[in-house]
Structures are given as structure tokens and as C-alpha cells.
Amino acid sequence: SKNAVVIGAGIAGIASAIRLAVKGYSVDVYEANAYPGGKLSSFEHTRADGNVYRFDAGPSLFTMPHLVVELFRLAGRNPADYFQYVRLDETCRYFWDDGTRLTAWADHDRFAAEVETVLGEPGEHLLAHLNDSALKYGVTEKLFLHRSLHKASTWLNRDALRGYLNLPKLGVFGTMNGANERRFRHPKLVQLFNRYATYNGSDPYQTPATLNIIPHLEYNIGAFFPKDGMISITNSLVSLAEELGVRFHYNTRVTEIVTEGKRVVGVRAEGMGLGAEGIGLSAEPSAVNTPGAEPHAPRPAPIALCVTNMDVVNAFRKLLPNAKQPERILRQPKSSSGLIFYWGIKREFAQLGLHTIFFSNDYRTEFDYLFRRNELYDDPTIYLNITSKHKPDDAPPGCENWFILLNAPNNTGQDWDAIIARARQDVIRKLSHNLGVDVGSLIETESVLDPRTIESRTSSSQGALYGNSSNNRFAAFLRHANFSREFENLYFVGGSVHPGGGIPLCLLSAKIATDFVQGA
Ligand code: FAD
């Protein structure tokens, strides 16, 4: 059958491989790392006594599980045989340095009652906000999320028409913070809902109020936890892909997408067993210079199509240097990055949940540091994720696996070692204040991920977590399409292209891209 090549085994690459295999293609996935999943991977710290802390390396919040489930169904499998997850009653716990504590409940009425009791904010304000979020989502979903923005058919149908009529409600012209300040009296609630801008690496003081659709995912569709950790999303989908005959080639970095006229004919890769002769390419010495290659080897058939899951900036700059470079798109400001401390903590804290936030006392200044000064603020908002709350075997008995994420600026060559050392102290100080213990003395294992290592491990331009930022109202139009305008059998998927970053949108990118592809 026809051969399809996928570059990168990030979540969008794996989903694309599954969809292509279901369409009858023979699929090869080439992955630079020794493991699949890209940002959605997992690792362990082993204590001296042999006990283990397990960490999910990247994503910790799971929304829209139906997009994962759909892949098993598409392949005629029973999803529950591969992948199980639960809906969370409690979305997140919020801590402020002044002692305010608020729990965001999945149940709207319970959350509204909490907001009234703790902050004195009328519960109707919250309910109205969540309704508005649902309404905005309904308008944008069909227009932006499930289809290519880059085909006329998207703009010429009834859903689109409904979208245009509702555009004023989308809040394209005001900022998220502006809308939230009009909605809520209490600045803490404004801060809480401003935080959703960070779900795609944006700045609530710049990003349009349209992004107030994000709470809809968490509060209306729901927040979930995969029973075997976030890594089980990657692992279960890789198992499914392998069952469908997809071949994963690890430690294999693609170095070039080879084109002839308007088509991709193959790729070249360095790494295990491939050499420079490439996939789908002639081994004739005139075509490629391969020491030791068979000079008269028969020319393999060109590949039928190629899907690249590599960050789109690097895909153009490194794999397609001779193609037309869509400069306007490639030069858009990037979303924020992250600084993550993974700590094995030798104690349990009943007051902490699966997701806990410790807010900065000055949110506006924090974002000013992130997006204008390219530095980390010394009173950062801290996100703490503890999977051992739901999956006790992720930490030794009586202990917890802490994943601590700070929003961080993009990698522009800052002195990260100095920044990390300072941030570590700031985090320990703030957590110790809020928890009433010396947190520093409880850390028994530690590792760090920073914008540099995010960039080097997943080829993300400047270590951005979600590709371009959404800080301007045209951002949705300035993400690259899921297909190439120059090469008819080349497709783009993943967090740096349409419709955006985060697991759900990456999964949708794979759907949109492969929907263009005819069955093999
Ligand atoms: P990536 O994960 O970026 O992987 C790309 C893969 O392609 C990598 O494995 C890379 O090695 C490989 N590759 C690249 N170039 C080549 C090449 N030339 N040859 C071979 N292989 C190549 N999302 C959420 O939904 N919820 C969250 O809570 C959340 N939190 C996050 C926290 C952190 C710390 C991070 C880093 C991300 C978070 N995200 C979250 C975002 C989410 O992880 C990403 O949007 C998503 O995983 C990106 O998937 P992707 O398909 O774009 O591929």
C-alpha cells in the first residue's frame, strides 16, 4: 500500500499516524528522541532506597478526552480496553499569600456558593461568566477548531454565517482582563479567570476576550485525569498505532524534506539504520552523496505523503530551507515557555489537591516581566501538580511527587542557570509561607526543565509551549495551515500550527490535516 511518512512522534504525529493507517496507508514515524510523546512524556526519579517518584514531564491538565477516545473508535476498538480516565469533582485549589483559599468545583452551583462565601462575589456573576464562555465556544468551535481556516469552504457555510452574526459577542476587540474586570467585582476572581490566558501561553492583558472560551473546557466539558497518568495518553495511542501496523523509528532525526516540483518525494534522516540515503529516495550517487551506499540500488517509490509534527518554524528553516518561507507567520511572537521543577517531597499535604495554584500578588507585573522584559518575576504564580493524589504509586508511601510550573519567557539566550537558581529560592519562599513549613528541607529528589531544554528536546522554537502566542486578535489567522501551499502532499500538525497548542487542539490538527487526504 502507499507509504506515508510522519516526522515526529508528538501527540499530533501519533494521532496523524493512526488516522492515516485507518485510511489504509503504510505509515512510518521518525522520531528524534528515544521515546514517543514529545512534551507528553514521563520519567522517574529513583531514591537511594529504590523507591520511585514518577512524573509526567509536560501536560498535567486533561480536557476534551473524547478527542482521544475518538481515535480508538475510528480504529474499531473499544477505548476502555486501552485508556481510562475519571472526571474531576474539583478543578483546582487556589491559594493567595494573604491566606485566602478557594476551591473551584466542577459543579457550578457549588463553585458559585464558594465564590460568594470566600470572596463575597455574587454567584450569578460566576454563572453568567461560565454561560458566556459556553456561548463563545459554540460560535468559535465550528469556525476555528474543527476546520481549516485556510479553505474557502470554511467561510461559506451556515455555521460560518452564524459565526459572523455573533462576532460582537466573541469579544474580539477588548482584552480578556478588560472583560473580566467588567464581569467581576473581586480582583481575585478577575485574576483567577485571567489565568486561562496562560493555557495557551498568552498574556491576559493583551489577549482578546475571545479567549474567555477556555474556561468552558474546564468547567462545562470538564477536567479529567487519566487513571494511569498523562503518559497513558501517549502510551495507549502508540499501542493502538502499532496494532494498526504503524512503524515507529526512534533516535531518528529527519534532516530534510526532499521535494521534486510540487511534491514531497522523501525525507532524509540521521540516526539508526537510515544513513543519508533517506526514505523514498534514490540511492544514486548523483542524487545523494552516501558513503558506502549501493550505487545501483533500485529507486524506491516516492512516498505518497508526508506529515510534519515538527515545530513549523524549524520545519521551514531546517527541513525545507529552499521552500518559500511564510515569513509573516514564522516571525509571529511566540507563546510563553515554562520553568518546571520536579521534586520528590518526603511528606504529604492534605491541603493540596491534584492541581493547586499559588497566585502572585501582582499579576500584571508578572506578565510584564514575561512578555516585555523577557525575565521571571520574583513573585511568580506557582502551579503545583501532584499526580500521587490520584495515583498513589507515583510517589513512595507518605511522600508526594511535585511538578511545579512557572510561566517563563521564551528562550532568547538569557542566563538560565542564574534565573533558575533565583526562581528556586522564590518558589521555596512562597510555598513555605503558604504551607507553614520549610519546603526546601523536604525536597529529596530534583530535576528541572527550562526553556532551553524544552527547545532542545522537542525542537520548539524558543521553547514556546504552544507555538505562536494569541496576544493579538489576528493570531488565529497567523498560524500556519495544516497543509502546504507549495507542496501538494505535505501537511503540518501539532501545537505550532492551526488550530493551536495543548493536547486537544493538537489532536484536532491531526484530524483537519488527514481529512484532506484521500484513502490509500
Ligand atoms: P511535541 O510534543 O512538540 O513533539 C514534537 C515531537 O517531534 C518531539 O518528540 C520531537 O522530538 C519530534 N521532532 C521534531 N523535529 C523532528 C525531526 N526533525 N525529526 C524527528 N523528530 C522530530 N497541554 C495541555 O493540553 N494541558 C496541559 O496541562 C499542558 N501543560 C503543559 C506543560 C508543559 C511543561 C509543556 C511543555 C506543555 C504543556 N502543554 C499542555 C502543551 C502540550 O504539551 C503541547 O501542546 C503538545 O503536547 C504538543 O504536541 P505536538 O504534537 O505539537 O508535539
Side-chain angles (χ1 to χ4, degrees):
S1 64
K2 292 182 181 169
N3 186 228
V5 162
V6 177
I7 303 171
I11 191 67
I14 300 169
S16 302
I18 291 170
R19 288 179 178 275
L20 291 170
V22 168
K23 279 180 188 264
Y25 285 86
S26 164
V27 187
D28 288 283
V29 181
Y30 297 94
E31 167 55 53
N33 291 325
Y35 54 87
K39 298 183 177 76
L40 188 47
S41 51
S42 166
F43 66 93
E44 293 178 350
H45 292 168
T46 306
R47 238 170 36 175
D49 65 359
N51 274 308
V52 166
Y53 288 98
R54 190 199 68 88
F55 296 91
D56 287 312
S60 53
L61 176 67
F62 183 39
T63 55
M64 303 182 86
H66 61 276
L67 296 172
V68 176
V69 164
E70 167 178 293
L71 292 166
F72 295 104
R73 295 232 170 87
L74 199 65
R77 306 296 205 274
N78 174 17
D81 292 345
Y82 296 78
F83 177 65
Q84 300 199 347
Y85 57 94
V86 292
R87 185 169 177 169
L88 303 173
D89 296 336
E90 180 190 298
T91 309
C92 188
R93 296 185 191 181
Y94 291 94
F95 284 52
W96 282 269
D97 285 355
D98 65 6
T100 308
R101 304 280 182 264
L102 185 132
T103 300
W105 300 99
D107 182 274
H108 292 192
D109 294 330
R110 192 169 179 197
F111 188 15
E114 174 100 3
V115 157
E116 284 208 21
T117 317
V118 177
L119 302 175
E121 179 90 27
E124 310 89 73
H125 292 182
L126 176 81
L127 299 176
H129 195 68
L130 297 180
N131 275 339
D132 181 57
S133 182
L135 190 145
K136 283 193 168 67
Y137 182 81
V139 175
T140 35
E141 181 191 22
K142 296 199 177 72
L143 209 53
F144 291 89
L145 298 186
H146 288 275
R147 317 170 63 112
S148 177
L149 271 183
H150 309 84
K151 294 276 182 193
S153 56
T154 301
W155 302 105
L156 302 171
N157 62 66
R158 283 173 64 190
D159 291 332
L161 191 63
R162 198 165 72 96
Y164 305 138
L165 295 175
N166 282 301
L167 271 181
K169 291 185 198 149
L170 282 183
V172 186
F173 297 106
T175 66
M176 173 186 262
N177 175 64
N180 293 346
E181 281 187 338
R182 278 191 301 282
R183 172 84 65 195
F184 300 115
R185 283 185 208 153
H186 204 295
K188 287 192 166 68
L189 211 52
V190 174
Q191 185 175 32
L192 191 155
F193 279 99
N194 278 355
R195 185 175 77 90
Y196 288 92
T198 67
Y199 279 37
N200 72 0
S202 300
D203 171 356
Y205 303 94
Q206 294 185 59
T207 201
T210 320
L211 261 74
N212 274 332
I213 63 171
I214 298 175
H216 173 72
L217 304 184
E218 218 175 72
Y219 294 104
N220 299 327
I221 304 180
F224 299 82
F225 182 73
K227 280 194 170 158
D228 293 320
M230 295 298 285
I231 188 60
S232 66
I233 302 174
T234 297
N235 289 346
S236 63
L237 290 178
V238 168
S239 301
L240 173 65
E242 284 174 343
E243 278 180 36
L244 297 173
V246 173
R247 293 171 295 272
F248 287 86
H249 310 268
Y250 297 108
N251 300 306
T252 308
R253 182 180 296 280
V254 172
T255 52
E256 187 184 349
I257 295 176
V258 184
T259 59
E260 271 174 26
K262 285 180 177 314
R263 292 187 68 80
V264 172
V265 293
V267 298
R268 287 198 175 89
E270 64 191 23
M272 287 196 329
L274 275 165
E277 77 260 35
I279 303 110
L281 298 178
S282 163
E284 289 156 33
S286 58
V288 274
N289 181 13
T290 314
E294 274 282 321
H296 300 297
R299 185 188 166 107
I303 60 173
L305 65 98
C306 175
V307 175
T308 167
N309 183 203
M310 187 182 199
D311 177 282
V312 69
V313 175
N314 287 321
F316 273 97
R317 303 290 193 226
K318 296 187 177 164
L319 308 186
L320 291 160
N322 300 319
K324 275 188 222 116
Q325 306 284 304
E327 291 298 339
R328 184 141 181 254
I329 290 174
L330 302 185
R331 290 183 185 196
Q332 282 299 303
K334 297 285 161 278
S335 64
S336 54
S337 187
L339 171 57
I340 302 101
F341 295 100
Y342 307 91
W343 287 342
I345 293 286
K346 55 182 178 194
R347 221 199 95 166
E348 287 180 301
F349 290 85
Q351 66 270 51
L352 300 174
L354 174 65
H355 306 288
T356 308
I357 288 283
F358 301 83
F359 266 124
S360 171
N361 293 301
D362 187 347
Y363 217 31
R364 196 184 274 273
T365 302
E366 182 178 2
F367 284 96
D368 192 52
Y369 270 75
L370 287 174
F371 287 97
R372 272 169 290 270
R373 303 191 200 192
N374 277 317
E375 286 170 31
L376 232 74
Y377 185 39
D378 62 9
D379 176 24
T381 297
I382 300 169
Y383 164 68
L384 170 57
N385 173 244
I386 309 174
T387 60
S388 63
K389 295 282 181 193
H390 275 260
K391 193 172 168 297
D393 61 351
D394 278 352
C399 302
E400 291 179 341
N401 62 338
W402 285 17
F403 164 107
I404 290 168
L405 168 70
L406 309 183
N407 294 311
N410 298 135
N411 180 21
T412 51
Q414 298 94 323
D415 181 354
W416 284 109
D417 293 336
I419 293 176
I420 292 166
R422 225 172 35 235
R424 188 179 187 278
Q425 306 245 302
D426 294 335
V427 168
I428 290 174
R429 189 182 58 241
K430 194 171 176 81
L431 293 179
S432 300
H433 168 81
N434 275 278
L435 297 173
V437 292
D438 172 19
V439 166
S441 65
L442 301 174
I443 304 171
E444 58 173 8
T445 67
E446 174 165 21
S447 57
V448 181
L449 184 69
D450 65 63
R452 284 173 309 191
T453 36
I454 293 172
E455 182 164 12
S456 62
R457 280 185 208 164
T458 59
S459 289
S460 295
S461 176
Q462 299 188 308
L465 298 190
Y466 308 95
N468 293 345
S469 82
S470 298
N471 286 341
N472 78 61
R473 78 177 83 107
F474 304 111
F477 302 93
L478 291 169
R479 283 183 173 271
H480 199 280
N482 302 110
F483 58 92
S484 158
R485 294 192 191 279
E486 195 175 350
F487 305 107
E488 56 199 24
N489 59 345
L490 175 62
Y491 302 90
F492 295 91
V493 298
S496 66
V497 295
H498 179 73
I503 299 165
L505 300 193
C506 288
L507 291 170
L508 286 172
S509 73
K511 177 171 192 302
I512 298 170
T514 55
D515 277 353
F516 290 125
V517 175
Q518 304 279 315

